[in-house]
Amino acid sequence: MNKLFFLFIGCMLIRYQATAQSELTGLGFTGDSLSITQILAGGHTETLPAALPLVSFVANSRQYVAGGNNSNSGILVQWMKLDRQAQGLKGVILFRNITSDTVKLENIVPFGISTDHVYITGKGDHELSRTHLFLPGKQPVNVIVPDNAWDMGYCSFSFAKDMNLVSLVRRNRASIEKGSRTRFETILYPGGSVKYDFYAETATGNWQDALTHIFQGRMLYDVTNFDNSLFERKDLQWIRHSYVMHLMMTWDKFFYDTKTGKFNLLDFVERGKKLYGGDDIISIWPTWPTLGLDQRNQFDLFRDLPGGTRQIHHLSDELHHRKVKLFVCYNPWDESTRNENHFSGISDLIAETAADGVVLDTKGESSKELQHAADKVRNGVIMYSEGMAVPKDMSGIPSGRVHNALYYPPMLNLNKLIKPEFAIYRVAELYKERIQREFATSFFNGYGTELNIMAPGQPDWVEEQYAFLGKTTRILRENTYNFTGKDWIPLISTTAENIWVNKWPLKDKTIYTIYSVNPEGYNGYLFEVEPASNYHFVDIWHHRLLTPKKESDKWLIEATTNPFNKVFLGTNNEGEVDCIAKLPELIKAGRNGDLLTVNTERQGDEVRIWPGVPAYSKKPLLLKPGKNEVMLNEHFGRFEGDFIIQLLNDGILLDETVLSVKPGEARRTSLVKKTPTALNPPSGMVKIPAGNFTFKATHGDEFIPYPQQDIDSSFNMPGFYMDQYPVTNSMYKKFLDATGYKPSDTANYLKHWKKNRIKSGEENFPVVYISYEDAKAYAKWAGKRLPTEIEWQYAAQTPGANEWPWKQELPVKRKIEYVTNTLSTSALEGIDSSLCNLGDGKLYPVGKYKKGVNPYGLYDLTGCVWQLTNDEYMSGSFRYIIMKGGSYFKPSSSWWYVQGGPRELHYRQHLLRMSQGFERNATVGFRCVKDAQ
């Protein structure tokens, strides 16, 4: 063995001088060739701090290392060969039982297990799933690997900056002599032996880069030259972007009702659209377990279905109309029934049923002959294996399954790393138990779910589970190119245990899938991100905007997972997920009260606005990209909460933002419709000149919150005209005579008139007992409109922001009394009674208080009647109109009353909406405005 060592090193040293790359060219060994001390790569020799064993292994359940004190292991470890290859080093290691007893050999790891190494090996004694990924300082993670690699051993460690030594050993199953094997173990009888193929290379970057190099770059050395032509076929690429499939037997109630003779498949599909966005694929199965009852073969059973294959063709056409594909099944073991060539039978079945794919029963791979049988009918037909193709077979099939024989599957599926564009489906069964974990781990790994409903049973909690599937599937579909890209980074570093993160980067978007088994839930700054200009972070599971937090020299992002019942730990219903996206800021959205503005600068092809969390059971408001304005109440009614705004292109998420309406927030729902303009003041109106104005407001009891919209905002006010006085009875009578107007609700309408006539002497009194609709009807007839609150207050206060229409010589005293935390009363003292009505309860002719005129010539601005504005507001529970000016009525026996009498020009009072009759008051009137040229 020493001879091999020195010959090999000599060869390495000779070739090393001609090597300018960083690839591995040799290893320095100890004298027994079973421990390494040096790494030769890139023209440099790195001496290790301590010698590392060639391998570690477990014999009869005890841990040993090669070259160490392993005499008790009963295993002799020796090199058979070691050569320099174009891809680093390749060798063969022999393990021989040198005892007179049987030895169970397992868990071979190149360079040994260590707290400093990243390695993959077995843990525990599960029959099907022992393979774990061990990371320094972290708990081991159960992983799925190819079916021919469960017994593999992997190791990587850093030996220089951004440089790793990475190695793989794989059992040569055919090499076993005097022994037998299980999925994970080799049973060696006395004198028995087994060979392991050894591979070693260097890999730059971090441990994930090293892992990707071996799994994706080398495909676990399972195939030297991978034929990628099948994956380059455009017609077959649709399968990699599909995420939900149901596989059902044709005697299932969801397919066909034997009692009514009706096909129910289309009803099943429509149901699925509302729960999880619908199926991408429906696969039907009329063969096993009835195949073999008579001489009919598998193809005959399709033809003997009700209506025959013509009916299946019709169903297929209907599915295609709904953007759903149809798969049929193929049973390669069907050799004893009526003889029919399988390849021609498959071709005929595809043609007769218009099928889009074939489920290959009992197969983990396909063949050129099977694909050709489909291709001769038409392009785009998929072969879908019952098992998962190993790397050397992936070139012949674009899709496969994580079989449900593997119950409670490992959390991380490294098959996804080998060929990210290979379409993987996890097989899940609904009838047994709640299976949220199945959906969660499929989502975490970026692939789809096959709902296998062959076994009977539809529990009452199925729709609840489907709703969770709908949330995961929406994200998978809207970000599918991230999940099929080659740059997936598994298990990035986190700040917490029992919660894991996968990173799925693309050029303009990065997705992070998160899986947690913390039953109490999680919220905290979980992992490192890289903020960038014009990008932002969005939690697209909970639909929240996120802001990174800097800690030391790192930026961390917040993640949240919901709690779940502790009893589900260790079951197929454990776990919760989150998903965070780094997105370009393409949406500029804002809200002013009820008015939502969305500007997407014409990127994408669709804008979606959702009231609350997006769901397939809901319908968003759809808009074209560009500049959009939306009145929320017109489309979403009284909804309060988060509005989710998304920009998509061909179904792919480009950006998302969130705007919120706080519960109880009052937001303006009214719009201003401009009047025909006038050059000079119309009769009875005065000119309000243009100017600058800062809007401030006060109010009384706020048990029902007043709007905050526009408060403290500054406005460039255009000039307009305003009625010099409130509209009078006589003026309103002219409107009635001219139009014959009659309100839809007549309760309390003009209640102060007698038999539709104005009381004598009240012709010039402000008209009252009118509703908002009555006032707007009058204004429209007059070529005017109601003023907004800001217009009314600007005209009343002038740009000087006067508190009263007149110049108040002495400050008005306010005696404030606090009743509750929302209610205080303000008794005003010090106003001259010649300026306005102080609240004597008597209405009067307009213009009576000459001294109360404001600088623009407006009369009766305060202490007359509450004056309606155009501004109507809505909260989640109420609607109301803003009124200004106070009134002639001032109740005083209790502080619970509306605070009447003259009110400051900045004071506002809401008129709660119920019905026109209820809203008509003896103290409410209006005046109008008209737009100026």
Side-chain angles (χ1 to χ4, degrees), residues 199-350:
Y199 306 88
E201 295 189 47
T202 55
T204 58
N206 55 30
W207 73 263
Q208 292 103 329
D209 296 320
L211 188 74
T212 302
H213 180 70
I214 296 300
F215 273 73
Q216 190 177 118
R218 299 295 181 241
M219 302 189 83
L220 299 178
Y221 303 97
D222 209 39
V223 56
T224 303
N225 297 307
F226 186 84
D227 182 0
N228 203 49
S229 57
L230 200 69
F231 291 87
E232 293 169 0
R233 284 180 51 176
K234 299 292 185 183
D235 62 307
L236 299 179
Q237 290 179 6
W238 67 265
I239 185 66
R240 68 183 65 165
H241 304 300
S242 62
Y243 293 99
V244 179
M245 176 193 308
H246 272 85
L247 194 153
M248 64 176 65
M249 296 196 169
T250 52
W251 41 86
D252 192 294
K253 65 179 181 181
F254 289 128
F255 183 78
Y256 183 78
D257 190 325
T258 57
K259 188 174 183 179
T260 64
K262 176 187 175 184
F263 284 90
N264 295 326
L265 182 60
L266 300 181
D267 293 336
F268 176 83
V269 169
E270 292 301 321
R271 168 190 178 231
K273 285 184 177 181
K274 297 175 183 178
L275 293 170
Y276 48 84
D279 291 270
D280 297 294
I281 301 164
I282 295 289
S283 179
I284 60 172
W285 195 286
T287 56
W288 176 85
T290 196
L291 182 59
L293 188 63
D294 66 2
Q295 291 82 0
R296 289 178 298 175
N297 67 28
Q298 57 184 309
F299 308 113
D300 294 330
L301 294 181
F302 274 97
R303 296 172 182 128
D304 285 350
L305 289 171
T309 51
R310 177 176 293 183
Q311 175 63 31
I312 303 303
H313 195 299
H314 170 72
L315 288 173
S316 182
D317 290 342
E318 290 294 326
L319 291 176
H320 294 159
H321 179 70
R322 293 163 173 79
K323 299 182 179 180
V324 180
K325 306 287 189 179
L326 176 72
F327 279 15
V328 293
C329 63
Y330 165 56
N331 308 107
W333 46 266
D334 179 22
E335 297 287 351
S336 299
T337 57
R338 187 183 69 80
N339 184 43
E340 184 175 355
N341 182 275
H342 280 207
F343 298 121
S344 61
I346 288 173
S347 295
D348 291 343
L349 182 61
I350 292 170

Side-chain angles (χ1 to χ4, degrees), residues 8 185 322 423 493 497 601 637:
F8 181 63
E185 305 148 334
R322 293 163 173 79
S493 180
E497 291 294 329
E601 299 180 356

Side-chain angles (χ1 to χ4, degrees), residues 16 19 41 115 171 193 236 267 357 378 408 422 449 465 527 531 583 615 626 646 668 711 760 826 834 869:
Y16 212 68
T19 301
T115 56
R171 179 172 61 176
S193 65
L236 299 179
D267 293 336
R378 69 172 188 283
Y408 190 77
F422 185 95
T449 303
Q465 299 271 290
F527 57 91
L583 301 170
Q646 298 176 320
R668 190 166 55 236
I711 295 293
S760 178
S826 176
S834 67
T869 69

